Amino acid sequence: MGVIEVAISAGNGQGKFHVDVVGSPAGNASAEVSLNVDALVAGREQFQQTLLGSGVAARQVLNAAERSVRETGEALFAALLGASEVVGQYRASAALAQERDEELRIVLRLDAPELAALPWEAMYDSSTGGYVCRQHQLVRHVPIPTAPPPLTVRLPLRVLGVVSAPRGLAPLDASRERDHLTRAISALANQGLAELTWTPNATWGGLHEMLMAGPWHVLHFIGHGDFVPALDEGVLALTSEDGRPDLVEASRFASLLRQARPMPRLVVLNSCSGAATGTDDLFSGTAATLARNGVGAVTAMQYAISDTAAAAFARGFYTALARGRGVDEAVSAGRIGILGTSGQTLEWITPVMYLRGRNARLFTLPPVDSRERTAEPVPAEPVPAEPVPAETPPAPAPSRLVRNFTGHSDWLFGLAFSPDGRLLATASRDQTARLWDAAAGSTVRILTGHTDGVTRVAFSPDGGVLATASGDRTVRLWDAAAGNTVRILTGHADWVRGVAFSPDGNVLATASDDKTARLWDAASGKTIRSFTGHTDWLFGLAFSPDGRLLATASKDRTARLWDAGTGKPIRTLTGHSDGVRGVAFSPDGSMLATASGDRTIRLWDAAAGNAIKTLTGHSGGVRGVAFSPDGSMLATAGDDQTARLWDGGTGNAIKTLTGHTDWLFGLAFSPDSRLLATASKDQTARLWG
């Protein structure tokens, strides 16, 4: 899929804005534009009435009100995609996508709060005679540090439906609303692709109980929502025990959603003003706030929507989603569904999508062919079983030097591959981190700002954010694409030597010489909890694959296992005769590997806590340990200037990699397990394949 990412931010002067194409298949561009935001915001009410009325009766020509919608769309297009040099990049990106038979996704980065209130989905390109979001996919990017990875789903896709109709608000026919959504996805339910369950009531307590009875993949809310200027935040109207409205702020609603395991990846808000936003806080709208607080994507209505349009949107949206499409494609399918209700309707402008991060595929679903086989009736007569496909063979062990990465002016402490394997990040005592093109070996970007050595680096699961730990006692979060600092985390009292993202990307863990580990909310940067108990420096840490456990490695000669959710210690692993310098979970979570200055590596049963095997062979202390993503190999980094590869199941030695001229501090496997990167005191990183 082709992607063009466009940012618009406040410029110099009233009504002046700066537009940047920060990424596109055709390159970058920038422009200065003018836009009368105040007038557009003042016209919201009339704009909404026009959209609602547009689908009532078919007409052959535009009336004055509908013409004003198009004029608004032309003004918005001119201020964003049609601005001077920007329009060239937009046209070229669209042409390239068409040439490659791809969809084009337009990602809006609205860096000025007042811009979030505008109906960008109405952008109209007069030169092509069409609305942009009917030609391409349009999403609003929520600028948060990280996003959860796609959730593996075993069909059916589970949707939790909520209808809230409290007394005292505009009447809402709950039974009719349930019927609309039920019929909208009934065909999917009959095929086993989706399952809709309704909450018995829409009270806080009732919803709390249902969320904990999950798993739920999607939460679909039907009811009233609004933006409250006094709170500068969006609210949803749940129902109190006495039937009156219980207005719940978006941030509080997000906390409720976190009670589900896993947290729903998608929220659909079919509420009156679910996507409306204030003009003082970029995240004040309900939808944006939910996305900022951990929901992978939020689809909402920026204006009131008719029942007919809402049902048509739901039908198209869920059909695309259950068939493995990205949520951006699902929103486009929903727009087409609304368009089918009337030739003159404009209500397809009403839905908006806020995407957390850049990955629009929220779910990993079974292949289509396997779903079709599941849906077929069982034959009356037995048939020969289909042959079971052979398992993918493990990646061959890296055995030769592929390339050197040179440029740092001091020791290299750590490195990490991006989730797509295209970038390699390195951490150095020269106070910088570097991003490299892994295939070419060239420097992509140098990240500066730390005031002491950079000790470790880690990518978020979606690859959008890079975390760096430093001797300056801070951790920095960087936009991996732009290279700018997103947030600085402070609180440790000494060097920070370890950093790791949780599997869902919502939490960041750090390890420090101050003898503590900390968990941080990756979105807000706030400390969640501290782990105390070690009696000396912490060298590193790792999350278990399910995110429930945190393992820490310490100079006090122990590793510890902690409950990541509560912070309580679970087990202390003893046996090493020197400091434990590195720790790693196997991909299936069954084993824990620890590396020590005593020249050994130990494999532990992660559940029972007993040592399974001790690996020997290094002639110096061992500073780093990593399992390959396919679990077939374990790699270790030693003071003896070598990296060693071991069988991930048996612990038998496979290969010794030589070439570095000083201690090795860190190593990392590529996502496909075929490459191994090593970091050394000799100021280089090496790639082996």
Side-chain angles (χ1 to χ4, degrees):
M1 174 179 291
V3 178
I4 178 171
E5 190 165 347
V6 186
I8 180 169
S9 55
N12 297 319
Q14 182 70 25
K16 301 295 183 182
F17 298 92
H18 187 75
V19 178
D20 285 291
V21 177
V22 295
S24 83
N28 299 340
S30 61
E32 297 295 329
V33 301
S34 299
L35 184 65
N36 191 340
V37 174
D38 292 341
L40 292 172
V41 172
R44 279 184 62 88
E45 182 65 29
Q46 181 58 48
F47 197 91
Q48 173 177 278
Q49 295 305 317
T50 300
L51 298 190
L52 277 173
S54 65
V56 174
R59 292 176 292 277
Q60 298 304 311
V61 296
L62 294 177
N63 62 23
E66 291 169 333
R67 188 174 295 111
S68 70
V69 169
R70 182 168 294 183
E71 290 171 354
T72 296
E74 289 175 337
L76 291 169
F77 179 85
L80 191 76
L81 299 177
S84 58
E85 294 183 9
V86 173
V87 70
Q89 306 306 100
Y90 165 60
R91 302 260 187 251
S93 297
L96 282 171
Q98 184 176 21
E99 184 179 306
R100 297 169 181 169
D101 196 25
E102 296 176 339
E103 298 287 341
L104 179 66
R105 182 195 300 164
I106 302 166
V107 180
L108 302 187
R109 293 177 56 164
L110 306 173
D111 295 337
E114 64 268 26
L115 297 172
L118 303 183
W120 296 98
E121 290 68 22
M123 282 192 295
Y124 185 83
D125 184 355
S126 57
S127 67
T128 62
Y131 289 92
V132 170
C133 74
R134 281 174 52 179
Q135 298 171 331
H136 308 296
Q137 291 155 16
L138 186 67
V139 304
R140 298 186 180 203
H141 173 65
V142 177
I144 43 74
T146 185
L151 179 68
T152 299
V153 170
R154 185 176 181 181
L155 292 172
L157 192 71
R158 301 197 68 207
V159 181
L160 179 62
V162 182
V163 176
S164 182
R167 298 195 310 268
L169 297 181
L172 186 67
D173 189 331
S175 60
R176 183 184 64 182
E177 294 297 336
R178 286 194 189 95
D179 185 55
H180 279 324
L181 184 58
T182 300
R183 284 189 296 171
I185 62 176
S186 60
L188 298 173
N190 292 336
Q191 298 173 61
L193 299 179
E195 177 183 273
L196 175 62
T197 302
W198 292 99
T199 56
N201 59 66
T203 64
W204 179 276
L207 184 53
H208 190 187
E209 290 181 10
M210 288 297 292
L211 286 168
M212 292 194 293
W216 307 107
H217 306 129
V218 184
L219 184 137
H220 190 114
F221 178 86
I222 299 172
H224 296 283
D226 204 354
F227 175 77
V228 180
L231 298 174
D232 200 28
E233 186 174 5
V235 297
L236 294 176
L238 296 184
T239 305
S240 63
E241 296 293 343
D242 63 2
R244 297 173 184 271
D246 178 15
L247 299 182
V248 177
E249 304 90 337
S251 55
R252 198 152 55 97
F253 192 74
S255 297
L256 180 60
L257 293 180
R258 287 185 183 277
Q259 292 296 296
R261 295 289 187 275
M263 186 179 187
R265 286 291 194 270
L266 172 64
V267 170
V268 179
L269 298 176
N270 184 9
S271 58
C272 296
S273 305
T277 184
T279 57
D280 297 322
D281 177 3
L282 186 59
F283 302 114
S284 57
T286 305
T289 299
L290 292 177
R292 181 186 63 177
N293 281 275
V295 180
V298 182
T299 298
M301 306 300 158
Q302 60 186 320
Y303 303 104
I305 189 169
S306 68
D307 291 343
T308 301
F313 176 82
R315 188 178 302 111
F317 178 81
Y318 284 112
T319 297
L321 202 65
R323 295 188 180 279
R325 303 286 184 91
V327 69
D328 53 348
E329 297 176 272
V331 171
S332 292
R335 293 192 203 280
I336 297 301
I338 295 175
L339 189 62
T341 64
S342 166
Q344 298 298 320
T345 184
L346 294 169
E347 284 196 271
W348 47 264
I349 291 173
T350 299
V352 299
M353 191 190 79
Y354 287 86
L355 182 63
R356 179 183 173 91
R358 293 175 173 80
N359 191 355
R361 292 201 175 272
L362 305 180
F363 308 108
T364 299
L365 301 176
V368 174
D369 58 348
S370 69
R371 297 185 229 169
E372 291 173 348
R373 284 197 297 272
T374 302
E376 290 176 355
V378 178
E381 296 297 326
V383 296
E386 294 184 8
V388 177
E391 293 185 2
T392 302
S399 59
R400 62 182 179 84
L401 179 64
V402 176
R403 66 182 51 86
N404 277 327
F405 297 83
T406 60
H408 281 294
S409 59
D410 213 325
W411 305 358
L412 269 69
F413 287 126
L415 33 64
F417 277 98
S418 61
D420 62 8
R422 295 180 180 180
L423 297 176
L424 181 71
T426 53
S428 173
R429 199 168 75 160
D430 66 10
Q431 303 184 11
T432 73
R434 289 193 179 216
L435 291 175
W436 310 79
D437 184 307
S442 55
T443 299
V444 175
R445 188 167 289 109
I446 300 175
L447 306 180
T448 60
H450 282 295
T451 58
D452 208 326
V454 182
T455 58
R456 287 292 183 269
V457 286
F459 278 98
S460 61
D462 70 344
V465 175
L466 182 75
T468 56
S470 173
D472 66 10
R473 307 182 182 185
T474 73
V475 174
R476 288 188 176 231
L477 301 181
W478 311 77
D479 184 311
N484 57 289
T485 300
V486 177
R487 186 165 288 110
I488 300 175
L489 310 183
T490 60
H492 279 298
D494 211 328
W495 276 52
V496 186
R497 294 184 185 269
V499 63
F501 280 97
S502 62
D504 64 6
N506 291 330
V507 177
L508 187 75
T510 56
S512 172
D513 284 3
D514 65 10
K515 306 176 187 179
T516 73
R518 289 189 177 218
L519 295 186
W520 313 75
D521 184 291
S524 67
K526 295 179 180 178
T527 300
I528 298 173
R529 65 181 53 89
S530 293
F531 299 80
T532 59
H534 281 294
T535 59
D536 213 325
W537 301 352
L538 270 68
F539 285 120
L541 40 63
F543 278 102
S544 61
D546 62 7
R548 296 182 179 180
L549 299 178
L550 184 72
T552 53
S554 173
K555 189 180 177 183
D556 66 10
R557 304 183 182 184
T558 72
R560 292 193 177 213
L561 290 175
W562 312 79
D563 185 310
T566 65
K568 294 181 179 179
I570 296 175
R571 190 170 289 109
T572 300
L573 307 181
T574 60
H576 282 295
S577 59
D578 204 329
V580 182
R581 297 173 173 177
V583 63
F585 279 96
S586 61
D588 64 1
S590 64
M591 280 197 299
L592 186 75
T594 55
S596 172
D598 65 10
R599 306 184 181 186
T600 71
I601 304 97
R602 289 193 174 219
L603 301 181
W604 310 78
D605 183 310
N610 57 290
I612 301 171
K613 190 166 186 176
T614 300
L615 311 183
T616 60
H618 280 289
S619 59
V622 188
R623 294 180 180 270
V625 61
F627 278 95
S628 61
D630 65 5
S632 65
M633 291 171 282
L634 180 73
T636 55
D639 288 352
D640 58 7
Q641 305 178 12
T642 72
R644 293 186 177 237
L645 294 170
W646 316 77
D647 186 289
T650 66
N652 294 333
I654 299 175
K655 187 77 178 177
T656 300
L657 304 177
T658 61
H660 280 295
T661 59
D662 215 322
W663 298 348
L664 273 67
F665 283 102
L667 31 69
F669 279 98
S670 62
D672 63 5
S673 301
R674 295 182 178 275
L675 300 173
L676 178 71
T678 53
S680 173
K681 184 180 176 182
D682 66 13
Q683 303 182 13
T684 72
R686 292 191 174 214
L687 193 63
W688 313 82

